[in-house]
Amino acid sequence: MGSHPHDLPMPVTAAGREGLQALLHAPHRSVVALDFDGTLADIVPDPDQARAHPGAVAALSALAPEVKSVAVVTGRPAGVAVRYGGFAGVPGLEHLVVLGHYGAERWDAVSGIVHAPAEHPGVAAVRAELPGFLDAIGAWRGTWIEEKGRALAVHTRRAEDPAAAFAALREPLAGLAARHGLMVEPGRAVLELRPPGMDKGVALSEYLAEVGATSVLYAGDDLGDLAAYSAVEKLRADGMPGLLVCSGSAEVPELAARADLTLSGPGEVVAFLAALAAAIAGDPSS
């Protein structure tokens, strides 16, 4: 496709422009991969209240039939992301895949089934120990534990000083995690204790290889997305075009600094996905 559609924002890097052109030129060989919280859904104080942006499902169901696949890559359990996203049984989303728990779980729209391995024993041990542990170090006030099934998350967003609470908890929680064979994944006012070995980069790379994609778009908003960014950067170095999109830049400057295209948040991400679907559908060469 020679011309650039006017309603699509232009990536600021040459590599990003090449990634976007590859997607527009050969969409049926491209994978669009997206984080959930902060990218498709607005960040909210209570993660149980998170829902996909009102226009997200419509944008995805317009885009998904035009590309090889749409993959939602999230730290949430796959089934929770499907439920909060409203992705099940939607016409047009037959090619949607949700890679949950950083790829440890997988839900395919075509079957509606979640595939998942057994739980890491360290998660059960930390689940039992964590409330008393937080109490003993005086960190209980304003922090709270989110049960994620294959992981546990300690949130500081409701604390009097969320950043100070986050900083104070980081080292003690790393020690607790290490004792049980887990790792700590930092995020936006949250520290997640989870098994090692899977991250969004591993999940994304394996999925792209599995489906035989020749280009990729990845959009994320948090520190957990850096691994996916690194995976796309490595694939680009090996010759596969890719576009890195950052959803919001204020809280995670590390991500924005490496992005080819920065959008203000889920509203702009959804508008971009809708414009992308329209650009592909309106191009007779794709």
Side-chain angles (χ1 to χ4, degrees):
M1 187 166 179
S3 63
H4 188 81
H6 292 297
D7 51 355
L8 273 177
M10 177 71 84
V12 297
T13 63
R17 290 191 291 272
E18 184 187 345
L20 180 57
Q21 286 301 115
L23 199 163
L24 291 170
H25 182 69
H28 291 291
R29 297 202 294 274
S30 300
V31 166
V32 174
L34 308 148
D35 169 47
F36 185 71
D37 292 281
T39 303
L40 288 176
D42 287 308
I43 294 288
V44 291
D46 179 358
D48 287 339
Q49 300 304 312
R51 296 295 182 270
H53 186 276
V57 169
L60 291 175
S61 56
L63 180 60
E66 305 289 345
V67 297
K68 180 170 273 295
S69 156
V70 171
V72 175
V73 188
T74 176
R76 284 188 183 269
V80 172
V82 171
R83 195 162 67 248
Y84 291 180
F87 301 138
V90 178
L93 288 188
E94 293 83 4
H95 296 293
L96 182 79
V97 168
V98 176
L99 303 175
H101 278 307
Y102 304 92
E105 291 186 348
R106 174 168 168 169
W107 176 88
D108 290 86
V110 70
S111 66
I113 293 170
V114 173
H115 295 278
E119 182 183 89
H120 188 289
V123 175
V126 167
R127 182 179 291 120
E129 199 174 326
L130 195 52
F133 181 84
L134 290 174
D135 203 28
I137 63 173
W140 192 251
R141 190 185 303 275
T143 62
W144 59 282
I145 301 166
E146 180 190 2
E147 172 58 63
K148 300 184 76 168
R150 295 170 183 279
L152 296 143
V154 179
H155 290 263
T156 65
R157 196 172 286 275
R158 297 178 193 162
E160 194 174 326
D161 185 338
F166 179 92
L169 277 171
R170 197 162 179 169
E171 203 172 308
L173 286 179
L176 174 66
R179 286 205 305 278
H180 295 290
L182 304 180
M183 60 171 282
V184 171
E185 177 86 50
R188 291 160 73 174
V190 61
L191 292 154
E192 184 171 318
L193 293 83
R194 65 179 181 85
M198 282 307 283
D199 62 37
K200 290 186 178 185
V202 174
L204 181 62
S205 298
E206 289 182 353
Y207 182 68
L208 293 173
E210 175 196 325
V211 301
T214 59
S215 69
V216 59
L217 179 159
Y218 184 82
D221 76 306
D222 208 345
L223 294 169
D225 297 302
L226 286 170
Y229 267 41
S230 295
V232 173
E233 287 162 353
K234 182 180 188 307
L235 290 165
R236 290 202 297 209
D238 293 339
M240 180 193 286
L243 171 60
L244 292 170
V245 177
C246 177
S247 172
S249 58
E251 285 196 53
V252 190
E254 303 97 314
L255 210 64
R258 286 165 66 178
D260 306 305
L261 177 63
T262 299
L263 303 172
S264 66
E268 272 199 7
V269 170
V270 167
F272 173 69
L273 296 173
L276 195 57
I280 295 169
D283 179 15
S285 69
S286 68

